[in-house]
Amino acid sequence: MTNASLSPLLQKLSDRLGPKGFTREPDSMAPWLEDWRKRYHGAAAAMLSPASTEEVADIVRLCSAARVAIVPQGGNSGMVGGATPTAASNQILLSLRRMNAIRTISAESSSAVCEAGVILANLHDAAAAVGRRFPLTLGAKGSATVGGLISTNAGGTQVLRFGTMRGLVAGIEAVLPDGSIFNGLTVLKKDNRGYDLRQLLIGAEGTLGIVTAAALKLVPAVGVRRVAWVGLGSPEAALRLLRAFEDKMGEAVEGFELLPSAALEIVLRYIPGTRAPLDRRCAWNVLIEATAPVGAPDPQPALEQALGDALETGLIEDAMIAASEAQAEALWRIRDSMAEAESKDRQSTKHDISVAVDSMPGFMVEAAAAVERRFPGTSVMAFGHLGDGNVHFNVRAPDGAAPDWLLSEGPATSAYVHDLVTAAGGSLSAEHGIGQARLAELERIGDPTRLRAMAAIKRALDPHGIMNPGKLVPLAEGEGGP
Ligand code: FAD
Ligand code: MLT
Ligand code: ZN
């Protein structure tokens, strides 16, 4: 559709939403037209900011009738360009950020019903205020929204104990591609009425509808948390350490994040106010968080004992336990600043891979050696969620690489990494989703049966292809949406 032929639709949308909900102002739209990593740059016919589910439904009905594509957006912190429209200026950017009410929250129900635009950090605060906790957390908690977290089935740093977003969603309200409202907010522990539309919408990246609200599960508040930083020699030692902790401390261990020394170095270089936790520089580092609910025994003695045993047997080289909450926060800041530090560092290709947890240490070492052999001068910096079998396996450009290295060499390095992961039975997207960044690769190496089923679901629910076309679902030519 040409921009001129969009005029009647834009007029109707503007009339329906008013000035607070409709803009075509280039300056207002600009920050939302490129992704967090600044890899994708789009344009939009207008940016809409509805204030209610009914407004979202009207927007979708109008766009569906006009066959105009909608790109839903929350905090725009996604890592795969899923919330960035194409450059053609003929798509509608639909921001859910104004829908930021927490409709209900209580300790008794141990749940919260949040609109899609609620920012994760605000949900954390609201849960704490009623004496509970929403356990999922990640570095972008100050901007990522409930709708975006659901639509990417986000993971983060406490998956080890609490799982991904998929397990924390009890109900969903959404607007489907024909403009109808699906009210799946009622929390039923048992419900066997067939296909689970809620689960289908989780991780759908806005391709099957727009999440407008969700009922989320809360867990008991943290009474005390202990955070330790450990230096050790290899990912294999790290996994053995995790298993030793699990044996000794059970479910108390909820965070276990792995960082190579190169990752620590870039954080110290680019993130002001960060300090190395240990005097000794070790090849690998692990951040461990152990928690106990209110009234339960402090995990500190068990943590000290487990670390002491590991030092004695030579499994680890050095360790410290944060002496205060401020020190604990400082350790987490190092971990949570990885993405930002990387964005300031040299060019690199980013991968979000998973293999079976027990295969990951071996995979990390062998795959890094293979990549560095195949692409001389590059270096692999793999970090993250070892206990989930998920690391961000990033390939850094050689010293003195050309400014266009990412464009010229990036695709070949990514294909190589993804082939290695696939050969190991793993996934090319563990937690960030597919978006536009991984679509071609999914199409290249994804299981054809699974891809055909995904395309069939997409066609059935979104026959005009108006919901976030060009993201997540590889479609045949001519089916890619308006
Ligand atoms: P957006 O980026 O706005 O959108 C993401 C996708 O969801 C897009 O496809 C968009 O179209 C769709 N979408 C958004 N809202 C809706 C809605 N209401 N209905 C339908 N579709 C919608 N991710 C992890 O999993 N683990 C991490 O540890 C992690 N750490 C991060 C650290 C940093 C510093 C940053 C910048 C990002 C990190 N991320 C991580 C990625 C990101 O935070 C998550 O993908 C998050 O879920 C995105 O939320 P958002 O609101 O910003 O979504
Ligand atoms: C993380 O684990 O830090 C995030 O997923 C972001 C990233 O991959 O850089
Ligand atoms: Zn991650």
Side-chain angles (χ1 to χ4, degrees), residues 141 219 318:
K141 59 179 179 279
V219 301
D318 202 356

Side-chain angles (χ1 to χ4, degrees), residues 102-179:
I102 297 182
R103 292 183 189 165
T104 60
I105 184 164
S106 75
E108 293 72 31
S109 66
S110 198
S111 67
V113 175
C114 298
E115 290 184 346
V118 169
I119 290 172
L120 180 57
N122 294 343
L123 172 58
H124 288 160
D125 292 347
V130 298
R132 303 293 286 182
R133 170 161 80 127
F134 183 68
L136 187 142
T137 189
L138 39 74
K141 59 179 179 279
S143 52
T145 62
V146 163
L149 294 159
I150 289 174
S151 301
T152 58
N153 183 26
T157 50
Q158 313 318 93
V159 170
L160 197 59
R161 175 147 162 217
F162 296 103
T164 64
M165 204 61 192
R166 201 175 281 290
L168 293 167
V169 175
I172 284 185
E173 175 192 273
V175 173
L176 299 185
D178 63 357

Side-chain angles (χ1 to χ4, degrees), residues 229 258-270 283-285 334 337-338 341-342 381-384 396:
W229 193 275
L258 180 69
L259 276 83
S261 62
L264 177 59
E265 261 156 42
I266 65 165
V267 170
L268 299 179
R269 188 175 321 143
Y270 295 112
W284 293 88
N285 303 266
I334 293 174
S337 301
M338 261 310 296
E342 267 200 305
M381 184 158 64
F383 68 92
R396 302 168 83 206

Side-chain angles (χ1 to χ4, degrees), residues 36-37 79 138-139 156-157 257 335-340 342 350-352 383-385 390-392 394 431-432:
W36 188 85
R37 295 173 66 214
M79 287 282 175
L138 39 74
T157 50
E257 295 288 313
R335 164 61 188 97
D336 284 343
S337 301
M338 261 310 296
E340 191 184 337
E342 267 200 305
K350 202 163 173 56
H351 310 101
D352 167 37
F383 68 92
H385 322 292
N390 166 209
V391 295
H392 303 301
N394 303 334
E431 60 171 7
H432 293 162

